[in-house]
Amino acid sequence: MKQLDFTVRSNDKLNDQNHLLKVVPSDNEQLPEMLPGQFVQILVENAQHTFLRRPISINNIVPERNEIWLLVQSVGEGTQKLCEMAVGGRLNMLVPLGNSFTIPSNPGSYLLVGGGVGTAPLLFLGKKLHERGIACDFLLGGASEKNILQRSDFTAYGTLYCTTEDGSLGEKGYVTHHPVLQHKKYDFIFTCGPKPMMVAVARYAHERGIVCEASLENLMACGFGACLCCVEKTTRGNLCACTEGPVFDINELTWLD
Ligand SMILES: Cc1cc2nc3c(=O)[nH]c(=O)nc-3n(C[C@H](O)[C@H](O)[C@H](O)COP(=O)(O)OP(=O)(O)OC[C@H]3O[C@@H](n4cnc5c(N)ncnc54)[C@H](O)[C@@H]3O)c2cc1C
Ligand code: FES
């Protein structure tokens, strides 16, 4: 883990709540190795109540531009300030934190399922799978079309399936209602998003004996195992989601009990 200053290279508004920030180390330092599923902790300056850093997933790494992408959803003061960052603005970040999704070496069929801003780490994961010659399917869900973000980035790395609750894009309903889950057989499922969605995906995978990992977005304070505020109950005992996770094998979680 390193603490580095970053400069905002671009800040694109994707919809009324979500921004995509592309940041580079301010002193041109080479980025440390970062893996899909890992996250950064961002110090939010000029905010009254955000003395704790805010955890944000690594959405993509572009090594040739030494660039990190961060997909931020404005839900409170901290993320709102991040969405308002000007190009050229500075961000102090701890990079990278947490464990990562397991990228199996054996061939197989892969499904990456995301909802809301939980789609963020799945783009980087899909890119890594693509680099290894592994084709994967993405299944992304949201309330409506405007909530399914970065569609052209996803389709560069695999086949994209979508569900929306209002039916404005793809199938109407939740991700677990998508017909692809009935028609195709997957060996690995990786998921990130709202907990009810991940529980439903985990149940689907468990019933079919599919290897499944979920990335949790537990509330975090320190991000590196010092405060115990992110503890998750698992079959290995209470574990810090920030250091032992955020990615867990669903069989370690107690969701399906
Ligand atoms: C490992 C990890 C990766 C994450 N990746 C991303 C990401 O890529 N993009 C992104 O936009 N957000 C991500 N989040 C969530 C993000 O950290 C929170 O939304 C943010 O901390 C909220 O800060 P705030 O100051 O804006 O809002 P606050 O004022 O702190 O909270 C506003 C509202 O959001 C809720 N909230 C705060 N944190 C979370 C959380 N972790 N999960 C669910 N609800 C929360 C609060 O309960 C409150 O209702 C991630 C969280 C974790 C733990
Ligand atoms: S956030 Fe402090 S221990 Fe995990």
Side-chain angles (χ1 to χ4, degrees), residues 39 41 56 108 112 114 120 131 138 160 163 165 167 169 188 192 198 233 242 246:
F39 64 96
Q41 279 275 68
I56 299 291
L112 277 49
E131 284 170 1
F138 299 101
L160 177 61
T163 60
E165 285 163 45
L169 182 75
F188 303 96
C192 185
M198 291 199 290
K233 197 173 162 199
C242 64

Side-chain angles (χ1 to χ4, degrees), residues 18 39 50 54-58 71-80 117 120-121 215-220 246:
N18 291 85
F39 64 96
T50 55
R54 294 302 193 253
I56 299 291
S57 302
I58 296 168
L71 180 68
V72 184
Q73 180 171 25
S74 177
V75 294
E77 189 179 10
T79 46
Q80 187 189 330
V117 81
S215 181
L216 312 193
E217 292 197 346
N218 292 9
L219 288 176
M220 292 184 183

Side-chain angles (χ1 to χ4, degrees), residues 220-230 240 242:
M220 292 184 183
C222 72
F224 46 77
C227 70
L228 303 184
C229 105
C230 63
C240 288
C242 64

Side-chain angles (χ1 to χ4, degrees), residues 12-15 18-22 57-62 67-73 116-125 138 140 144-160 162 169:
D12 293 313
K13 184 173 180 171
L14 304 186
N15 66 17
N18 291 85
H19 283 237
L20 180 65
L21 277 79
K22 298 180 180 173
S57 302
I58 296 168
N59 176 236
N60 194 9
I61 300 290
V62 185
E67 192 174 83
I68 307 182
W69 293 12
L70 305 167
L71 180 68
V72 184
Q73 180 171 25
V117 81
T119 60
L122 302 182
L123 181 67
F124 187 29
L125 176 61
F138 299 101
L140 308 183
S144 73
E145 179 175 7
K146 70 178 173 55
N147 301 112
I148 312 281
L149 305 170
Q150 301 183 289
R151 298 207 289 273
S152 57
D153 293 315
F154 279 104
T155 48
Y157 304 132
T159 304
L160 177 61
C162 299
L169 182 75

Side-chain angles (χ1 to χ4, degrees), residues 97-111:
L97 295 166
N99 69 356
S100 62
F101 290 103
T102 311
I103 298 187
S105 50
N106 50 329
S109 54
Y110 295 75
L111 179 68

